[in-house]
């Protein structure tokens, strides 16, 4: 069974596709920042698959971290996520945060205390392991928002 | 005037695909094709690479069945090295392949097929997905998630990564199994047994309601091919190939990897990037055959584990002789999942699995080598040629989905002819045509060695080729 924690940081992205790797980069930072904290668990995947519902069910709160193709390059956003299913035909291999929350509720009857999505707008997702200048510049702000969100979820 | 229906993309598959259905002037189905519409070319860009890199390169073909590519590739490399790997290494690879079989079959059954099976072929397409299944049958959804987690966790424990583990190398595996990891795997198995038992029970309860689909879902006589052990039991990792005909008679037996080019040819059709494998002595298309869970259960005489043995006996009672409807792939997949869990337990119960000798070493001793292993979807061949320095000069891969390609196309045509009358069709009918392809659980990225998402399209074409209707899904 999944490990029970108070806060799950769930990142998504492909580190070989430029700015799309910002989620995994922030996850690596969060892993280090909260290494000694048993209340926090960090998972980073290329895709958010249905299996993750079990991990989400085992957490009180979840912070999704992803790149955003619809935001201006480098814009950092933190938005609440509801469990509303907003696509007609959810994919079997990758789900949106709202779909994952819906799946978690259906399968495990689990409703999160907090569920937020942290995104960073992408400039380029061409092949490569480096970020565009706007995303690179946005990293300190994104890390700060991630840290504050996690601490708020933990009531600290 | 004739019409063509296009289903593009075909959904709930591993890959991009498209179906076109050609109607004649009377609104009857004239022809139908399943197209695989992507190309990638792993065979070409591996040229010039050192042979020992091949397993990790080839595993990148697929995120669902990388383990089978790792194993077939490593075996081809071992043929080049002329080495026999240690017994424990062979058993550890078998363990890894079984874990992959469990997680991949769970994905196919619970995530891709169960929306049709549990909610109905005609159910609301907005709900006919994994979220709909979770809402209607949460206990089965949880079982699917658990089986995926268990399969992937075993892969991660053995290979350090749940997708694309690099643990399998030419000569064996990089690290032995620790007692701690063995105990962790054993602790997962009770949940795996109960999850697969629940799935088998649920499937058997509803299978009878799909008799109309069973009749026309690629239900025709064909040949079947799979690996089989010397004891005529199911075998995913070693053994040799057996080919049987539609009546269960052995056409050819003991086909080792080094002989596959004598036996298997690959034809090309202009509507698909996936090739069409066939048995050379019978020619193309007469020598076409099916692979994967249905073929394996049709070919083997026994499973070799007690619970799966009982399930095999029940499966073989479905019809006299080989089971010909591809609808029964779903059933076969569940039996294989049960077998996988039992076999994992059996392998871990042998203390030799903790042996530290897990890798043989050698250089280039032959300039050509081939390897074969069963992937979840069927047998997989890797064949390489190298120069004196061990650089790849030529590579060929024969993938399970290519071996099922002719049967999938015939199945699509059979279902289309059965369901589409007077040029009329509904979403539920098109879903059934797609569902024929889903029974095979094709991996289109494997079949073309291609990357990316895999949507599907169905087109309805007129007699003069004009697109009359089109259903597209992302």
């Amino acid at each position: 069974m999944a490990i029970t924690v108070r806060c799950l940081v769930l990142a998504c992205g492909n580190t070989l596709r430029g700015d799309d790797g910002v989620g995994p980069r922030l996850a690596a930072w969060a892993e280090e920042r909260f290494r000694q904290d048993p209340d926090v668990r960090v998972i980073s995947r290329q895709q958010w698959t249905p299996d993750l519902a079990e991990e989400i069910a085992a957490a009180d709160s979840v912070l999704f971290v992803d790149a955003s193709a619809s935001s201006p390059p480098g814009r950092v956003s933190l938005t609440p996520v509801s469990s509303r299913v907003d696509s007609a035909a959810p994919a079997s291999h990758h789900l949106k945060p709202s779909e994952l929350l819906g799946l978690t509720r259906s399968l495990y009857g689990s409703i999160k205390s907090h569920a937020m999505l942290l995104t960073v707008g992408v400039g380029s997702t061409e092949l490569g392991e480096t970020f565009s200048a706007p995303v690179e510049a946005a990293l300190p702000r994104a890390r700060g928002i991630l840290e504050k969100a996690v601490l708020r979820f933990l009531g600290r | 005037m004739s019409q063509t229906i296009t289903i593009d993309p075909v959904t709930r598959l591993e890959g991009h695909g498209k179906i076109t259905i050609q109607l004649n002037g009377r609104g009857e189905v004239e022809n139908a094709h399943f197209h695989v519409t992507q190309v990638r070319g792993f065979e070409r860009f591996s040229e010039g690479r050192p042979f020992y890199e091949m397993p990790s390169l080839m595993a990148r073909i697929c995120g669902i069945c990388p383990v089978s590519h790792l194993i077939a590739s490593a075996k081809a490399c071992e043929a080049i090295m002329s080495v026999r790997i240690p017994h424990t290494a062979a058993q550890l690879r078998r363990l890894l392949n079984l874990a992959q079989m469990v997680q991949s079959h769970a994905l196919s059954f619970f995530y891709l097929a169960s929306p049709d099976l549990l909610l109905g072929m005609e159910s609301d397409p907005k709900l006919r997905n994994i979220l709909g299944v979770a809402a209607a049958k949460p206990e089965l959804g949880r079982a699917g998630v658990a089986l995926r987690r268990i399969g992937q966790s075993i892969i991660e424990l053995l290979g350090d990564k749940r997708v694309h583990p690099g643990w399998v190398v030419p000569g064996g595996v990089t690290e032995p199994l620790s007692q701690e990891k063995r105990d962790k795997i054993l602790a997962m198995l009770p949940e795996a047994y109960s999850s697969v038992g629940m799935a088998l029970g649920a499937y058997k309860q509803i299978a009878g309601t799909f008799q109309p689909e069973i009749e026309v879902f690629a239900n025709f006589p064909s040949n079947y091919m799979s690996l089989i052990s010397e004891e005529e039991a199911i075998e995913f990792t070693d053994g040799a190939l057996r080919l049987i005909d539609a009546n269960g008679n052995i056409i050819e037996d003991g086909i080792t990897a080094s002989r596959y080019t004598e036996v298997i040819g690959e034809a090309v059709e202009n509507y698909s990037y996936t090739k069409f494998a066939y048995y050379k002595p019978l020619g193309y298309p007469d020598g076409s055959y099916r692979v994967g869970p249905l073929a394996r259960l049709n070919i083997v005489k026994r499973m070799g584990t007690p619970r799966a043995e009982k399930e095999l006996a029940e499966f073989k009672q479905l019809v006299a002789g080989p089971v010909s409807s591809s609808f029964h792939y779903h059933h076969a997949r569940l039996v294989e999942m049960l077998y996988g869990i039992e076999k994992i337990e059996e392998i871990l119960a042998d203390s030799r699995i903790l042996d530290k000798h897990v890798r043989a070493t050698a250089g280039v001793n032959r300039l050509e080598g081939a390897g074969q292993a069963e992937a979840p979807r069927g047998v997989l061949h890797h064949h390489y040629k190298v120069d004196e320095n061990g650089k790849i000069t030529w590579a060929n891969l024969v993938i399970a989905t290519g071996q099922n390609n002719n049967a999938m196309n015939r199945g699509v045509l059979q279902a289309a002819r059965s369901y589409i009358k007077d040029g009329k069709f509904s979403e539920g009918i098109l879903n059934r045509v797609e569902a024929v392809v889903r029974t095979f659980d094709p991996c289109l990225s494997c079949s073309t060695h291609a990357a990316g998402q895999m949507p599907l399209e169905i087109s309805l074409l007129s007699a003069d080729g004009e697109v009359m209707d089109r259903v597209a899904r992302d």
Side-chain angles (χ1 to χ4, degrees), chain B residues 28 65 75 98 117 148 174 188 220 244 274 294 373 382 404 413 454 461:
Chain B
E28 298 159 341
C65 46
K75 290 170 85 171
L98 290 163
L117 301 176
R148 280 273 290 163
T174 56
M188 297 177 196
F220 42 71
I244 64 167
T274 296
L294 185 77
H382 280 231
N404 276 333
L413 179 60
M454 305 197 171
L461 302 183

Side-chain angles (χ1 to χ4, degrees), chain A residues 8 10-12 47-57 62 64 81-86 90 93-108 110 112, chain B residues 111 130-131 134 145:
Chain A
L8 173 67
L10 188 52
C12 175
Q47 293 168 320
W48 283 325
T49 54
D51 322 324
L52 290 165
E54 197 177 43
E55 307 286 356
I56 295 169
V62 58
F64 297 95
V81 182
S82 71
S83 63
R84 182 171 53 89
V85 175
D86 52 5
H93 289 45
H94 52 92
L95 297 177
K96 297 175 184 175
S98 56
E99 292 167 344
L100 266 175
L101 286 183
L103 188 63
T104 305
R105 191 172 60 178
S106 295
L107 290 181
Y108 305 100
S110 172
K112 301 299 100 186
Chain B
Y111 295 6
I130 181 68
L131 299 184
V145 168

Side-chain angles (χ1 to χ4, degrees), chain B residues 93-313:
Chain B
R93 285 182 181 180
R94 183 167 279 120
L95 200 60
L96 191 72
N97 209 16
L98 290 163
Q100 178 194 245
M101 210 65 74
V102 170
Q103 70 85 14
S104 176
H105 281 355
L107 191 154
S108 172
F109 182 80
F110 291 98
Y111 295 6
L112 308 181
S114 76
D116 295 328
L117 301 176
L118 301 174
L119 307 177
M121 297 281 177
E122 298 277 352
S123 60
D124 182 352
K126 288 181 183 167
L127 302 175
R128 203 173 53 221
N129 53 55
I130 181 68
L131 299 184
V133 170
K137 308 276 182 187
E139 68 289 353
L140 279 169
R142 289 194 294 273
V145 168
L147 285 164
R148 280 273 290 163
R149 167 176 42 81
I150 291 165
Q152 290 194 301
S153 297
I154 295 172
I155 293 170
E156 191 172 20
L157 278 167
L158 294 171
D160 281 338
K161 288 167 74 180
R162 55 181 53 210
V163 181
H164 301 135
W167 182 59
V168 174
V169 290
V173 296
T174 56
E175 273 185 58
L177 178 66
S178 68
Q179 191 164 335
E180 183 193 1
K181 287 183 177 178
R182 181 189 65 174
D183 294 345
K184 279 186 179 173
I185 296 171
L186 284 170
M188 297 177 196
L189 301 185
E191 187 184 9
Y193 279 123
S194 81
S195 298
V196 79
M198 183 189 299
L200 265 164
Y203 177 81
K204 287 178 190 173
Q205 272 191 343
I206 57 167
T209 65
F210 287 94
Q211 198 54 40
E213 284 80 8
I214 290 169
E215 293 297 324
V216 297
F217 272 33
N219 184 17
F220 42 71
S222 78
N223 305 313
Y224 302 93
M225 184 186 276
S226 80
L227 289 176
I228 187 167
S229 75
E230 287 179 5
E231 295 77 31
E232 298 191 298
I234 198 158
E235 174 58 62
F236 293 149
T237 308
D238 290 314
L241 289 170
R242 174 175 289 180
L243 181 73
I244 64 167
D245 67 17
N247 297 314
N249 303 309
I250 297 174
I251 299 175
E252 186 145 355
D253 208 6
I255 306 164
T256 56
S258 61
R259 283 190 54 226
Y260 97 94
T261 51
E262 297 167 23
V263 175
I264 297 169
E266 293 181 280
V268 175
E269 297 282 6
N270 63 6
Y271 56 83
S272 181
Y273 281 117
T274 296
K275 290 183 274 189
F276 293 71
Y278 63 96
Y279 177 61
K280 276 182 178 174
L282 293 177
Y284 177 75
D286 293 347
S288 299
Y289 54 91
R290 277 182 267 190
V291 296
L294 185 77
R296 291 190 286 253
L297 264 54
N298 276 335
I299 288 171
V300 301
K301 305 290 185 205
R302 58 192 61 84
M303 299 299 281
T305 58
R307 299 189 206 192
E309 201 71 64
K310 285 183 191 162
E311 294 295 337
L312 177 69

Side-chain angles (χ1 to χ4, degrees), chain B residues 354-367:
Chain B
L354 301 178
D355 196 284
K356 305 297 178 201
H357 299 287
V358 293
R359 188 170 184 181
T361 55
V364 176
N365 289 306
R366 285 192 188 132
L367 299 181

Side-chain angles (χ1 to χ4, degrees), chain A residues 59-78:
Chain A
D60 293 334
S61 301
V62 58
L63 178 65
F64 297 95
V65 183
D66 196 5
S68 169
S70 56
S71 298
R75 174 178 290 176
V76 183
S77 306
L78 184 66

Side-chain angles (χ1 to χ4, degrees), chain B residues 3 20 25 40-41 57 59 63 79 91 102 115 128 145 161 169 226 256 300 314 333 359 376 425 437 445 456:
Chain B
Q3 295 177 297
T20 56
R40 200 172 181 191
L57 280 177
Q91 288 295 81
V102 170
R128 203 173 53 221
V145 168
K161 288 167 74 180
V169 290
S226 80
T256 56
V300 301
E314 200 175 314
R333 224 163 259 131
R359 188 170 184 181
F425 58 93
V437 180
S445 52
L456 190 130

